[in-house]
């Protein structure tokens, strides 16, 4: 038998190896089996990095996402962050009323817990509460984006101290089926020291429900330092309107903090005087509120302000004729005096003159907003 030459064996072996490699390449799947998991892992890592503030400076504080509208109501998420880690998630707005209240009560705690567990916006949709879940996730992503861009309030970021707001901030008026609700907060060095409802439903049973619920809500705001206050049983609409307006006031305070100084809610008067370089503008002059219509006639309030302080209040329009004249003469002097004493629209309703009192407070708040008080 003829022996093979050693060199020829080497050549043949090499050829076989090359052929095998070519064959393997031809048989390789068009997509790498590990690519999906690798991509998923990459997405998760990216989301987690976003939730924890990315590669930038460590973030500590609270941040509130944008309010997201759903067909059942708004959803808005607030995060508490400690050194780039989400330690708490809460829904400061969520659908309520009818079956929505039950679905919110079932879904939101699960969503909150999932955020803290996953440290990312990639949380699971809660079965039976799809709209709330999707709205929650959108607001959550907004909050995370704000945290990444340095928008966390009330805490610190390395490389600079976060300014803390001081002043009074009036939230947007929120309409409810029983009447408007509007909240004003007083803030000192980033801490809420007082909360009050400058507008609240009144008349009939609404007056009783307002008197029952608002003091509890005011107290809880100061205790919790957030809009995540409990709904008062029997006054759901007022409570929900209160929380929405409260969140608006907190957002204004946070915006004031981000701008690096004390802020006062409302527009500054064009005739106001600047009190020193770099100081908050202190309004001086007269400011006439908008006309408030009542069932007995229009009410309109004018205030006189000096150095940001109300020195005089008067009703330039008030109901008259028949018993209205007597009720106006009885109530307006009391309301005027209390407006100067309390320096706010949170004056007491005069017994027997509820409509006039409520109209007075609405017009007074409008005048205070113009003065920036």
């Amino acid at each position: 038998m003829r022996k093979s030459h050693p060199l020829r064996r080497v050549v043949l072996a090499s050829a076989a190896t090359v052929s095998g490699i070519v064959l393997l390449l031809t048989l390789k799947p068009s997509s790498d089996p590990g690519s999906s998991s690798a991509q998923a892992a990459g997405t998760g890592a990216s989301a987690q990095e976003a939730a924890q503030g990315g590669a930038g400076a460590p973030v500590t504080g609270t941040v509130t996402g944008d309010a997201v509208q759903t067909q059942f109501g708004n959803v808005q998420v607030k995060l508490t962050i400690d050194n780039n880690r989400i330690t708490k998630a809460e829904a400061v707005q969520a659908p309520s009323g009818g079956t929505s209240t039950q679905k919110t009560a079932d879904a939101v705690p699960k969503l909150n817990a999932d955020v803290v567990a996953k440290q990312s916006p990639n949380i699971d949709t809660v079965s039976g509460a799809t709209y709330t879940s999707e709205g929650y996730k959108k607001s959550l992503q907004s909050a995370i984006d704000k945290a990444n861009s340095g928008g966390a309030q009330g805490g610190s970021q390395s490389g600079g101290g976060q300014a803390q707001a001081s002043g009074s901030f009036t939230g947007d008026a929120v309409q409810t089926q029983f009447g408007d609700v509007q909240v004003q907060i007083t803030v000192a060095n980033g801490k809420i020291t007082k909360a009050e409802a400058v507008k609240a439903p009144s008349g009939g049973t609404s007056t009783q429900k307002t008197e029952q619920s608002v003091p509890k809500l005011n107290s809880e705001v100061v205790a919790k330092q957030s809009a995540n206050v409990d709904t008062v049983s029997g006054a759901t609409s007022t409570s929900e309107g209160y929380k929405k307006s409260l969140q608006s006031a907190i957002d204004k305070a946070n915006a004031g903090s981000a701008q690096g100084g004390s802020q006062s809610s409302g527009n500054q008067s064009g005739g106001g005087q600047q009190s020193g370089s770099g100081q908050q503008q202190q309004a001086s002059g007269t400011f006439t509120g908008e006309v408030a219509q009542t069932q007995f006639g229009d009410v309109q309030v004018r205030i006189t302000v000096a150095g940001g302080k109300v020195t005089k209040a008067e009703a330039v329009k008030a109901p008259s004729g028949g018993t209205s004249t007597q009720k106006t003469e009885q109530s307006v002097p009391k309301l005027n005096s209390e407006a100067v004493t309390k320096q706010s629209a949170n004056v007491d309703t005069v017994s027997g003159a509820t409509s006039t009192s409520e109209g007075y407070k609405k017009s007074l708040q409008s005048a205070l907003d113009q003065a920036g008080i």
Side-chain angles (χ1 to χ4, degrees):
M1 180 183 286
R2 185 176 177 183
K3 291 177 80 176
S4 298
H5 196 280
L7 183 57
R8 182 175 178 173
R9 286 199 303 271
V10 171
V11 172
L12 289 173
S14 300
T17 303
V18 172
S19 301
I21 292 172
V22 171
L23 183 60
L24 285 172
L25 289 174
T26 6
L27 294 175
K28 182 179 179 182
S30 57
S31 62
D32 185 353
S35 62
S36 298
S37 58
Q39 185 178 2
T43 303
S46 174
Q48 186 172 0
E49 182 182 5
Q52 296 180 350
V59 177
T60 294
T62 59
V63 60
T64 304
D66 296 335
V68 175
Q69 289 183 330
T70 76
Q71 68 181 88
F72 299 107
N74 289 345
V75 181
Q76 190 172 30
V77 177
K78 178 179 173 182
L79 301 177
T80 302
I81 302 171
D82 183 14
N83 198 28
N84 283 357
R85 180 172 179 80
I86 299 171
T87 57
K88 183 180 180 183
E90 52 191 314
V92 293
Q93 289 189 51
S96 64
T99 58
S100 293
T101 300
Q102 182 180 353
K103 289 185 177 182
T104 291
D106 171 57
V108 167
K110 295 177 182 177
L111 294 166
N112 292 339
D114 207 15
V115 173
V116 177
K118 292 188 175 178
Q119 294 290 306
S120 89
N122 189 30
I123 56 177
D124 296 331
T125 298
V126 177
S127 177
T130 303
Y131 289 101
T132 298
S133 300
E134 293 307 314
Y136 185 104
K137 286 192 272 190
K138 288 179 183 177
S139 183
L140 169 61
Q141 184 62 63
S142 168
I144 289 171
D145 290 342
K146 290 180 183 180
N148 287 343
S149 63
Q153 305 293 335
S156 61
Q157 293 188 353
S158 60
Q162 180 72 34
Q164 293 188 338
S166 292
S168 62
F169 303 86
T170 304
D172 297 335
V174 175
Q175 290 182 330
T176 76
Q177 65 186 93
F178 299 107
D180 290 347
V181 181
Q182 189 172 30
V183 178
Q184 183 182 78
I185 57 174
T186 303
V187 181
N189 296 322
K191 183 177 177 68
I192 301 171
T193 58
K194 183 181 179 183
E196 52 191 318
V198 294
K199 288 184 180 179
S202 63
T205 58
S206 293
T207 300
Q208 182 180 356
K209 290 184 177 182
T210 291
E211 292 173 352
Q212 173 199 12
S213 61
V214 167
K216 294 179 182 179
L217 294 165
N218 292 338
S219 174
E220 197 168 5
V221 172
V222 177
K224 291 192 173 180
Q225 294 291 305
S226 83
N228 190 32
V229 294
D230 295 331
T231 298
V232 177
S233 177
T236 303
S237 293
T238 298
S239 299
E240 293 305 316
Y242 184 103
K243 288 191 275 188
K244 289 178 182 178
S245 182
L246 170 60
Q247 184 60 56
S248 169
I250 291 173
D251 289 343
K252 290 178 183 179
N254 286 344
S257 176
Q259 291 169 7
S262 299
Q263 298 287 326
S264 182
S265 65
N267 297 321
Q268 295 295 341
S269 163
Q273 299 176 353
Q274 190 80 15
S275 60
S277 173
Q279 298 295 316
Q280 180 70 27
Q281 188 179 28
Q282 299 289 327
S284 292
T286 58
F287 303 85
T288 304
E290 296 175 357
V291 175
Q293 292 181 329
T294 77
Q295 66 185 95
F296 299 107
D298 291 344
V299 181
Q300 189 173 30
V301 178
R302 181 171 64 197
I303 58 174
T304 302
V305 179
K309 184 176 177 67
V310 180
T311 59
K312 183 181 179 182
E314 54 190 319
V316 294
K317 286 186 179 181
S320 62
T323 57
S324 293
T325 300
Q326 181 181 356
K327 290 184 177 182
T328 291
E329 291 174 351
Q330 172 200 12
S331 61
V332 167
K334 295 179 182 179
L335 295 166
N336 291 339
S337 174
E338 198 167 3
V340 176
T341 301
K342 292 192 173 180
Q343 295 290 305
S344 82
N346 190 32
V347 295
D348 294 332
T349 298
V350 177
S351 177
T354 303
S355 294
T356 299
S357 299
E358 293 306 315
Y360 185 101
K361 288 191 275 188
K362 289 179 182 178
S363 183
L364 172 58
Q365 183 60 56
S366 171
L368 292 170
D369 287 344
Q370 291 177 40
I373 296 174

